[in-house]
Amino acid sequence: MNPTCPSEQVASIIATHQDRPGALLPILHAIQDAMGFIPPDSINEIAGALNLSRAEVHGVITFYHYFQTTPPARHQIQICCAEACQSMGSERLMQHAEAAASGSTNYAVHPVYCLGLCATSPAMMIDDQLHARVTPDKFDRLINKIGSES
Ligand code: FES
């Protein structure tokens, strides 16, 4: 069976892992891998299956920054903030990108530390595409382009 409903997906993942020792983390990882986040309404089901309190499950989810409780943005933007890019204006680029993405569910902006394009900095990545020598104007053009393709 290939579960399509989110709650069926969560139930299937719990059933697969719940008898393992220390099952909570494998379950949380599997849910996030499958769905991109951990739906808050799955906490009850996880807690019940593992005989834990909701607070214990919630505590683990919030302890690890890796776990997300809201659906991921449609596009992931990574801006390099390492030295070479910083010296070429990545801080200004980051501020510009954060302002542009603010309140948007389409884009999430993350700092990263070296994308391997140091000689053509500042560098950034939109989903799996690398971009070099990114100015705020170039950023706007790239974002508008993917916005029109979506
Ligand atoms: S320092 Fe930015 S790509 Fe290497």
Side-chain angles (χ1 to χ4, degrees):
M1 184 177 115
N2 186 13
T4 54
C5 168
S7 63
E8 285 178 17
Q9 217 171 0
V10 167
S12 171
I13 288 168
I14 290 171
T16 301
H17 297 284
Q18 78 180 106
D19 294 329
R20 296 173 60 173
L24 180 55
L25 283 174
I27 287 171
L28 295 176
H29 278 284
I31 292 172
Q32 181 148 309
D33 288 349
M35 305 171 78
F37 73 113
I38 299 169
D41 58 4
S42 67
I43 291 176
N44 260 350
E45 202 173 343
I46 298 167
L50 300 181
N51 200 23
L52 298 170
S53 71
R54 284 178 44 85
E56 287 171 305
V57 176
H58 184 264
V60 170
I61 291 170
T62 54
F63 179 79
Y64 293 102
H65 294 288
Y66 170 78
F67 294 127
Q68 304 295 312
T69 54
T70 55
R74 194 170 186 168
H75 299 286
Q76 302 299 315
I77 299 170
Q78 299 176 47
I79 296 179
C80 178
C81 296
E83 246 174 60
C85 288
Q86 230 179 59
S87 71
M88 295 301 286
S90 68
E91 197 171 309
R92 192 172 70 111
L93 177 62
M94 180 60 115
Q95 289 170 352
H96 180 81
E98 285 177 338
S102 173
S104 169
T105 56
N106 278 339
Y107 310 105
V109 179
H110 311 279
V112 292
Y113 296 91
C114 201
L115 291 167
L117 294 176
C118 316
T120 55
S121 57
M124 79 173 195
M125 203 163 169
I126 301 176
D127 299 326
D128 59 353
Q129 293 288 310
L130 282 165
H131 301 277
R133 295 192 175 99
V134 183
T135 62
D137 285 345
K138 183 172 180 179
F139 175 89
D140 289 344
R141 285 195 303 274
L142 291 166
I143 292 302
N144 286 338
K145 187 175 173 208
I146 62 170
S148 66
E149 291 169 354
S150 298

